[in-house]
Amino acid sequence: MDGVIESDVKMEGNARTKSVGAYSDVLLRVLGLVLTMIAAVIVGMDNQSKIISLKITDILPPVQITVNAKWQYMSAFVYFLVSNAIACMYAATSLIFSMKEKNNIKNNMALLALIILDLLIMGLLFSANGAAAAIGVIGLKGNSHAQWRKVCDVFGTYCHRMTAAIVMSLLGSFVFLLLVVLSVLNLQRKSK
Amino acid sequence: MDGVIESDVKMEGNARTKSVGAYSDVLLRVLGLVLTMIAAVIVGMDNQSKIISLKITDILPPVQITVNAKWQYMSAFVYFLVSNAIACMYAATSLIFSMKEKNNIKNNMALLALIILDLLIMGLLFSANGAAAAIGVIGLKGNSHAQWRKVCDVFGTYCHRMTAAIVMSLLGSFVFLLLVVLSVLNLQRKSK
């Protein structure tokens, strides 16, 4: 009789842990979706035009020219936007799958595919963050050795928005890292 | 009697799978160590000096000046070298740990820590690759909008070596990705 009660308590505990795990998984996927969507939208909408005065000779008055900053102008930012858009779409698709299939213990291959895809998206986001941040540093500080001058003194608003997008995307990539850790923890719990 | 034979065959099969898994783990860690070490060494030793002619006025003859390309000049390359050096040291440490502890099934917390560290190193390497590649693209093609001119036409050898280092590091980051996949596969096998 004691054995039956003990077994019931253990099963109840397992079911509770499983539901907490599934709840965290869904929550993290929603968070990943929101963060990468915000990052992609910020970059996609980020453009700034500015009128600057250019003095060509001492005799003539300075010429007013309009300069633009757009994400399309820099391949690293294109890669950043595309990566975040892919991560966002993947988060939405995997969220539906996760809600439907995660508790189906028989579907081991699908679960494995989900972990590998989480890993690949994490790698994609980390590389995109690295690329955007590297260009951001040059934009902010310039590089005297390569004679690449800073642009953030002219395009301040553009640079601030891009920084916000990189922070969002960085948080998003850590969300995907946590998703993999969560899956590993679940597997380890099952293997005991 | 049949049951005993069946159980023996199963145990033998499990032991063989485990030894193949441990062998792959060691092999991948050695590969990760070698690839990140090569990447770090290539970048660390990569510098190029070149004498270029600079014409200041039409009257005076062109001035000969020496220009240098070093990894220290670009923060993305410093980050790339440091990340690869960290990954290389981690691969060496984890290799020793993996050879000693991986088969000890009781050490679950240590195994979990190893998977999480593999994941973090993978993220670090992917971000470093992204950063170095983004700067590499600007160095190769330049950017007319930001008026950052290409430098690879002058420092061809430097750029070729840097490309080789990025390829090595990219392969290294996929090795760490495979290590995580291998750990997940092992856990899934145990949980069946």
Side-chain angles (χ1 to χ4, degrees), chain A residues 77-183:
Chain A
F77 294 152
V78 175
Y79 178 61
F80 181 81
L81 188 138
V82 171
S83 301
N84 272 282
I86 290 172
C88 180
M89 282 188 285
Y90 167 74
T93 318
S94 67
L95 181 66
I96 300 163
F97 176 83
S98 178
M99 284 162 82
K100 276 188 180 172
E101 300 285 332
K102 195 92 184 185
N103 288 325
N104 182 9
I105 207 153
K106 283 179 192 166
N107 210 344
N108 268 322
M109 279 307 288
L111 189 65
L112 182 69
L114 198 70
I115 302 173
I116 294 172
L117 285 171
D118 284 348
L119 254 177
L120 289 172
I121 293 292
M122 182 199 130
L124 183 75
L125 279 183
F126 268 107
S127 68
N129 296 339
I135 297 299
V137 169
I138 301 288
L140 202 68
K141 295 185 177 178
N143 189 288
S144 57
H145 302 287
Q147 291 182 327
W148 296 342
R149 67 170 207 82
K150 59 181 170 185
V151 288
C152 286
D153 49 347
V154 181
F155 300 107
T157 317
Y158 180 83
C159 286
H160 283 141
R161 282 184 201 148
M162 203 53 92
T163 309
I166 293 171
V167 171
M168 289 293 135
S169 176
L170 194 65
L171 292 173
S173 49
F174 275 103
V175 164
F176 281 97
L177 191 147
L178 278 177
L179 272 169
V180 179
V181 173
L182 195 75
S183 300

Side-chain angles (χ1 to χ4, degrees), chain B residues 8-176:
Chain B
D8 279 355
V9 169
K10 202 177 175 186
M11 275 175 75
E12 203 180 297
N14 272 347
R16 200 178 300 139
T17 320
K18 192 190 265 182
S19 84
V20 169
Y23 181 74
S24 313
D25 189 277
V26 168
L27 199 77
L28 283 174
R29 281 181 204 282
V30 171
L31 199 64
L33 188 151
V34 173
L35 287 167
T36 51
M37 190 193 280
I38 294 174
V41 168
I42 293 176
V43 176
M45 292 179 73
D46 194 12
N47 63 68
Q48 193 183 354
S49 293
K50 212 155 184 186
I51 298 163
I52 55 163
S53 305
L54 203 70
K55 204 174 182 184
I56 299 163
T57 58
D58 288 333
I59 312 155
L60 292 165
V63 186
Q64 305 280 316
I65 55 162
T66 310
V67 284
N68 298 302
K70 286 179 181 173
W71 60 271
Q72 297 98 316
Y73 290 170
M74 203 67 76
S75 50
F77 294 152
V78 175
Y79 179 61
F80 180 82
L81 188 138
V82 172
S83 301
N84 272 282
I86 290 172
C88 180
M89 281 188 286
Y90 168 75
T93 318
S94 68
L95 181 65
I96 300 162
F97 176 83
S98 178
M99 283 164 84
K100 278 186 179 173
E101 301 284 332
K102 195 92 182 185
N103 288 326
N104 181 9
I105 207 153
K106 281 178 191 166
N107 210 345
N108 268 321
M109 278 307 288
L111 189 66
L112 183 69
L114 198 72
I115 301 173
I116 294 173
L117 284 170
D118 284 348
L119 254 177
L120 288 173
I121 293 292
M122 181 200 131
L124 183 76
L125 279 182
F126 268 107
S127 68
N129 296 340
I135 297 299
V137 169
I138 301 288
L140 201 69
K141 294 185 177 179
N143 189 287
S144 57
H145 302 286
Q147 292 182 326
W148 296 343
R149 68 170 205 84
K150 59 180 169 186
V151 289
C152 287
D153 49 348
V154 180
F155 301 106
T157 317
Y158 181 83
C159 286
H160 283 141
R161 283 185 200 148
M162 203 53 91
T163 310
I166 295 172
V167 171
M168 289 292 136
S169 177
L170 194 65
L171 291 173
S173 49
F174 275 103
V175 164
F176 282 97

